[in-house]
Amino acid sequence: MKLISPILRGVAVLAVLPAAFSQTTEEDNDVIELAEFTVDADLATGYRATTSLTATGIGAKIMDTPIAINVLTEDFMKDTATTELREALQFVPGVGTSPRNESEFTLRGFSGNISYRNGQYRRQNYTSWNAQRVEVLKGPAAIFFGTVRPGGAINYVTTRPKLGESFTDVQAAVGSEDYYKAGFFTNVPVGDNLAFRFGAGGLDSLGKAMFDYRKESYLGASMLWAITPNQQLIVDLETVHRNNYMQSSRGYAVSHSDYLFNPAVPAGMTVRAWLDSQGRTDEPTYNIYAPIFGADDPYGRFYGYSEDSFEKFISRTVDVEYLARIGDSLVWQTQLNYGYDEQPGMRSNYGDTTPFADGTVNLAFERWNNIRDSYNAKTKLTWRYHLGETSHTLQAGYEFQDVIFNKPGYYDPASQRYNGSLRGVDIIGFDPSSDPQPSGEATIQASGQTFDITRKITETNEAYFIVNQSRFFDERLHALYGARNNMLSRKVAYTRPVTNADSGLGSPEGWTPQYGALFKPRPDLSFFAVYSESIEPNYAIDADGNTALPIETEGMDFGIKSELLDGRLAGTFTYYTLDRGNVAARDTDREIATGNSPYYIFGNTSSSEGIELELNMAPTDNLQLVFGWSHMFEAEVTESTDPARIGQALNYTPDDKVSVWSRYSFDTGSLKGLTVGLGGRYSAAARMTGDPNRVMVEPSFYVMDLMLSYNPKIFGQEVRTQLNVKNLFDNDYREGPQGMFGPPRSIILSMSTRF
């Protein structure tokens, strides 16, 4: 029932549009095919895709769209043995990832809610189960995604059933550190117009690090029904459960080089207190990673604070899409989505970052749970028409989203405050180099805290959008222009009164425009420019319940796209600028002084400026190469209510990142049938975070990966046999805003076939 009213509102508005424009429609309109609203792996050639759904919601040619778009194909994800989408996205210029958390993506220096599944917002569980491709849309997507973060959007598209085909894909893999993975997908046609796809899989793995483990299960089903030649219904169901060791309970301790192991520091005095006592009040609190874990593991690459730290991800998704073609030039599309995400976990919550001078820490643990229900409805009309010698594709739509975020917490009777997690009793003077690991669960039970209060946040987003894509001068000039009216509201309720209630402010409302143009001096070369604005809620809520004004962003892209040498040399080169205003930055000075967190400095403007190069090359039929490079000229705070913040770096923004992946297939001689893949990544040194109290620099690093595949026949059945070695040279490296270590070397042998 929650989705019925939004659909009716969308129907009422859109139903009048065809009549309003009917006088200008010509009889020779281009015919719209329903297939344009989906993508097919068969349309991609190896690592190269020529169309994208994410940019416009209809299968548009990347060369004709004035937006920077990267697509990771199914072949690429198979060759790189992608389990989490993070592993594939590491090869996209401008995208940052973190070993700590698969959902901590950054785009052009900005993190946040930027990930989607089939165009619907997805909070977590970005796995490769049933993923057909990953599309990365760069820049603020004002029209199609509304309140998305300004760096862009990441959308992964799932594999749909195929009409008239019956087959089953089976895969099994084993690897180092007790890695086991298996799964299957089967396509079942029923007559000529109906098909089902079912899939299931599981993963069980340990790891080289202490207490490391990961267990995962997947179950999915989908249906494609071609009701008539002009009507289509798609239903997609999925559930993913994962349980793994909480990476935040691994040591990534930070300290100060003049403080750590300094016998002159009084026992129990913190870094900040000692620096202040020395008159060094303006000096950052932390400037080094603390080597406190013993000779065998001095920086905590493999160390774990407690065996019972964990993190679970539970997600369930229901997608329904209805398409109806009205005549040759008009298509009605309605998409419905329900998503459920739950994330319980336990981790060490401050001892892993603040060791004392003697190397000991005061360790504590926290337990939390985040529960989200989301309801989405989107109704859209797509109309293709001609005006004289020009052709156009007009899209108008209405979108509704309701996200209900329930966060159980602990009610402190003394202060009457809401706390979003259970805080265990402190373990004083814990020595990671010699003391046995404590039980985090025991410290929480000893605290006497229980989940006895819940904060419920209901965020409602309604939007109307209209966008036109026009083609002039024999389709040499392409234009994209439109706007979106965002109307957001936010309500907060607690199950009992609290003194630090969230005020519920900061919900934006207003229009966000987007304009772009692309010129093709020749069919295989494009020059493009695009300007866009975006608006988003400010989710920064401080310890006293205060929030900030909505965040507003302006962005511009200028670039070149190519499909030279009959498409053998395809790529995009882009220059971009982004300015994001009303940003909240953590006020760690106040947090240290009060003992409460979080606190924020409001009213900052963060800016990024850079260039990106993506090349997809196939010099011969046997060789394919993907190359990416991003360089940031600027990634810092440019305006602030606190002058000391101006010039501060954004979270983990290396100046340069380079990635390359190639494969070569032998088709003659004794090696015929063998395919070799080799690739790697390089990242320049970077600040761990923009926090002025944490100025550690993560060193530059490179990582190499290797792949070998062969397709022998076993009992008459062709079987793809593949060996992947990730982090080939077992390099130590830190990555992401927490300075977490990247995964050590792993070896995976997989076999797959189709029956």
Side-chain angles (χ1 to χ4, degrees), residues 84 86 98-102 104 206-214 243-252 300-306 309-313 343 346-348 352 368 738-744:
E84 295 179 5
R86 170 182 62 83
S98 170
R100 172 183 177 268
N101 190 327
E102 65 174 0
E104 286 188 338
L206 298 177
K208 291 183 179 180
M210 185 183 295
F211 310 133
D212 205 10
Y213 70 93
R214 174 171 171 172
N243 186 8
N244 57 261
Y245 187 80
M246 181 66 205
Q247 295 299 316
S248 289
S249 285
R250 253 183 236 308
Y252 65 103
R301 184 185 186 195
F302 301 113
Y303 184 88
Y305 276 105
S306 69
S309 287
F310 72 94
E311 183 176 36
K312 294 183 180 180
F313 295 101
Q343 183 196 15
M346 182 178 66
R347 65 184 175 191
S348 53
D352 53 340
W368 77 94
Q738 287 79 29
M740 299 298 296
F741 279 101

Side-chain angles (χ1 to χ4, degrees), residues 256-259 262 271-272 274-285 287:
H256 194 283
S257 54
D258 293 339
Y259 166 90
N262 184 344
V271 178
R272 185 72 265 159
W274 181 75
L275 288 171
D276 291 347
S277 72
Q278 304 298 304
R280 301 161 69 172
T281 56
D282 295 331
E283 193 166 333
T285 307
N287 66 4

Side-chain angles (χ1 to χ4, degrees), residues 308-488:
D308 52 5
S309 287
F310 72 94
E311 183 176 36
K312 294 183 180 180
F313 295 101
I314 303 167
S315 65
R316 304 182 186 98
T317 302
V318 179
D319 286 335
V320 178
E321 180 182 52
Y322 172 74
L323 287 166
R325 191 174 69 178
I326 306 169
D328 290 335
S329 59
L330 185 66
V331 169
W332 178 283
Q333 182 181 26
T334 293
Q335 294 172 294
L336 307 177
N337 167 267
Y338 168 73
Y340 173 85
D341 292 290
E342 183 176 355
Q343 183 196 15
M346 182 178 66
R347 65 184 175 191
S348 53
N349 70 340
Y350 76 91
D352 53 340
T353 58
T354 56
F356 290 95
D358 61 1
T360 64
V361 297
N362 290 347
L363 191 63
F365 291 84
E366 67 174 348
R367 171 174 278 185
W368 77 94
N369 195 8
N370 299 322
I371 303 170
R372 286 177 175 84
D373 291 272
S374 63
Y375 303 85
N376 302 273
K378 186 175 184 178
T379 300
K380 180 176 65 177
L381 278 174
T382 301
W383 180 43
R384 191 164 289 163
Y385 65 100
H386 288 183
L387 288 175
E389 298 298 323
T390 67
S391 57
H392 309 264
T393 301
L394 176 70
Q395 293 179 301
Y398 168 81
E399 188 170 356
F400 170 87
Q401 181 185 68
D402 227 2
V403 179
I404 302 172
F405 178 20
N406 286 289
K407 187 170 181 60
Y410 167 69
Y411 178 79
D412 184 353
S415 63
Q416 299 181 333
R417 297 173 66 91
Y418 162 84
N419 300 283
S421 62
L422 307 182
R423 168 71 179 268
V425 297
D426 290 356
I427 300 172
I428 306 299
F430 176 75
D431 189 339
S433 65
S434 59
D435 292 342
Q437 281 78 13
S439 166
E441 181 63 33
T443 69
I444 292 173
Q445 291 181 0
S447 72
Q449 297 183 14
T450 59
F451 287 122
D452 56 5
I453 184 174
T454 298
R455 182 186 68 195
K456 179 181 179 181
I457 300 177
T458 303
E459 294 173 346
T460 301
N461 180 0
E462 292 186 84
Y464 296 94
F465 63 89
I466 185 167
V467 57
N468 202 23
Q469 301 169 68
S470 301
R471 297 168 293 282
F472 307 94
F473 308 117
D474 294 326
E475 301 203 358
R476 295 180 65 184
L477 177 63
H478 296 250
L480 183 151
Y481 45 97
R484 179 186 183 101
N485 185 23
N486 301 282
M487 299 163 287
L488 292 95

